[in-house]
């Protein structure tokens, strides 16, 4: 995070607290890109070492007692979760308009997760602006990183919809959402997100296609092939991989590319599909920046009758 020291001197190793995040200053870099060991008043520095990503605008303090800092952060976390616990009625975008018409929905609770803090803030402010006379849109939690199980638990208890911007849920969150009937919506373009939720509030949401995830593959090895690009050796971890399907490349559950599968092979043969538990060679169309450890998520678009 980038901080501006207002008074006192911030030093390497200091215990700091910002919002609900606690940690020690591990590195400190000034505005010239140089590593420094301390920063005085009116000095902006980029520091690392916090346990989580704080919100922009949070006041940070350097403290002497780490135990007290962790207790204070926990108190703030509990207070924030209590404020985000209205009714626990399940809601999805499909039945949102009918609930508004029936007078059951006064506040639409949303949880926003994004790949970077700037995107999270932009999505949050844009969504809160589409409130109307009948329903108020309230973002009860926004943070950086993949959608996890605690986000799903918060959504289930507060009757919220999870909005993911350039991020995906991990396996535990996906299973938990299916059990709790929590609606998760993933977007890569901010206008799509706003338009879809606004359409749902006006009762005009009529999706004709739905995304169906068919499988995941882990990249185990990569090869540079001249005139072809990067070919990756993969292991299908669940579901199946189909030739011609759409794919997302995930790195730490952050979407770094979305496109089509260019080729699918077993040994030297082109194949139609590869089942779970088998290895295969894959190439993503017009994308070569694949690294070992990336996850390739395969999906198809199904028509809703």
């Amino acid at each position: 995070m980038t901080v501006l020291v207002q008074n006192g001197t911030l030093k390497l190793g200091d215990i700091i607290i910002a919002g609900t995040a606690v940690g020690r200053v591990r590195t400190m870099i000034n505005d010239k890109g140089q590593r420094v060991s301390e920063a005085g008043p009116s000095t902006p520095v980029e520091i690392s070492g916090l346990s989580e990503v704080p919100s922009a605008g949070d006041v940070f303090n350097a403290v002497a007692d780490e135990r007290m800092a962790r207790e204070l952060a926990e108190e703030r976390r509990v207070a924030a979760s209590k404020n985000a616990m209205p009714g626990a009625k399940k809601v999805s975008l499909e039945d949102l308009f009918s609930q508004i018409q029936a007078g059951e929905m006064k506040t639409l609770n949303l949880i926003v997760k994004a790949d970077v803090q700037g995107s999270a803030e932009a999505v949050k402010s844009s969504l809160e602006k589409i409130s109307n006379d009948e329903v108020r849109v309230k973002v009860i939690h926004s943070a950086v990183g993949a959608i996890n199980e605690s986000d799903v638990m918060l959504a289930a208890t507060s009757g919220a919809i999870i909005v993911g911007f350039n991020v995906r849920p991990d396996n535990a969150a996906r299973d938990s959402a299916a059990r709790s009937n929590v609606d998760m919506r993933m977007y890569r373009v901010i206008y799509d997100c706003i338009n879809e939720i606004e359409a749902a509030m006006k009762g005009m949401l009529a999706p004709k296609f739905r995304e169906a995830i068919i499988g995941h593959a882990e990249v185990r090895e990569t090869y540079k092939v001249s005139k072809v690009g990067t070919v990756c050796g993969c292991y299908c971890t669940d579901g199946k991989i189909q030739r011609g399907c759409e794919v997302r490349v995930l790195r730490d559950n952050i979407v770094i590319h979305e496109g089509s599968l260019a080729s699918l092979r077993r040994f030297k043969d082109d194949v139609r599909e590869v089942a779970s538990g088998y290895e295969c060679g894959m190439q993503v169309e017009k994308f070569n920046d694949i690294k070992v450890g990336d996850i390739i998520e395969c999906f198809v678009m199904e028509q809703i009758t």
Side-chain angles (χ1 to χ4, degrees):
M1 63 175 183
T2 305
V3 301
L4 178 65
V5 181
Q6 291 184 322
N7 56 63
T9 303
L10 185 66
K11 298 176 182 175
L12 280 177
D14 280 355
I15 300 159
I16 53 172
I17 178 171
T20 59
V22 179
R24 283 180 182 271
V25 180
R26 296 190 187 280
T27 60
M28 203 184 306
I29 299 170
N30 65 12
D31 56 333
K32 297 180 180 67
Q34 302 163 336
R35 284 178 175 260
V36 292
S37 57
E38 60 179 45
S42 301
T43 306
V45 282
E46 194 177 272
I47 62 176
S48 67
L50 283 180
S51 57
E52 58 187 76
V53 181
S55 300
D58 279 351
V59 175
F60 85 96
N61 298 94
V63 294
D65 189 346
E66 187 173 2
R67 187 174 62 84
M68 190 182 293
R70 294 195 181 280
E71 287 175 1
L72 176 59
E74 189 57 38
E75 284 176 17
R76 290 176 177 176
R77 200 173 284 115
V78 169
S81 63
K82 280 182 180 174
N83 291 338
M85 296 280 183
K89 188 171 178 62
K90 296 288 183 293
V91 61
S92 67
L93 284 191
E94 277 77 17
D95 61 5
L96 176 61
F97 184 66
S98 59
Q99 289 191 28
I100 294 171
Q101 291 292 85
E104 297 173 4
M105 180 65 59
K106 300 296 180 194
T107 303
L108 172 60
N109 292 323
L110 298 175
I111 293 170
V112 172
K113 295 298 289 281
D115 54 344
V116 291
Q117 186 71 34
S119 297
E121 294 289 334
V123 172
K124 177 183 175 181
S125 62
S126 299
L127 289 173
E128 287 181 339
K129 284 176 185 171
I130 62 175
S131 301
N132 56 31
D133 297 337
E134 295 168 331
V135 61
R136 183 168 71 96
V137 178
K138 182 182 178 186
V139 177
I140 60 174
H141 176 63
S142 73
V144 171
I147 297 165
N148 54 41
E149 200 169 4
S150 61
D151 297 322
V152 177
M153 289 168 63
L154 176 60
T157 53
S158 59
I161 295 172
I162 298 176
V163 174
F165 188 76
N166 264 352
V167 295
R168 306 296 297 172
D170 56 31
N171 290 336
R174 198 179 289 114
D175 296 341
S176 180
R179 287 194 304 270
S180 308
N181 291 325
V182 170
D183 192 9
M184 294 193 294
R185 299 283 168 150
M186 313 302 158
Y187 302 97
R188 295 204 71 201
V189 180
I190 192 167
Y191 302 110
D192 292 344
C193 170
I194 295 163
N195 290 342
E196 194 164 297
I197 290 174
E198 204 167 19
M201 289 168 64
K202 294 174 180 174
M204 299 185 300
L205 188 66
K208 294 177 182 175
F209 290 91
R210 177 177 54 210
E211 178 187 297
I213 295 169
I214 58 172
H216 294 85
E218 181 186 345
V219 178
R220 297 279 176 90
E221 194 58 74
T222 60
Y223 309 94
K224 301 284 185 187
V225 181
S226 60
K227 297 183 182 178
V228 174
T230 301
V231 175
C232 45
C234 302
Y235 177 78
C236 184
T237 54
D238 63 83
K240 62 182 179 180
I241 313 300
Q242 284 182 351
R243 189 171 66 194
C245 67
E246 300 295 305
V247 295
R248 284 189 195 90
V249 181
L250 311 179
R251 192 169 295 162
D252 298 325
N253 276 316
I254 304 295
V255 180
I256 61 170
H257 178 74
E258 192 170 302
S260 301
L261 191 62
S263 67
L264 179 65
R265 292 191 169 202
R266 283 270 300 155
F267 302 105
K268 293 184 178 181
D269 301 324
D270 281 313
V271 291
R272 188 175 295 278
E273 67 177 48
V274 174
S276 174
Y278 287 91
E279 293 179 336
C280 61
M282 301 169 68
Q283 186 192 5
V284 180
E285 197 172 281
K286 297 178 183 175
F287 185 70
N288 295 315
D289 188 28
I290 292 185
K291 295 180 180 176
V292 174
D294 288 353
I295 301 295
I296 298 179
E297 182 176 79
C298 304
F299 64 98
V300 294
M301 300 306 289
E302 293 179 341
Q303 189 163 1
I304 299 173
T305 54

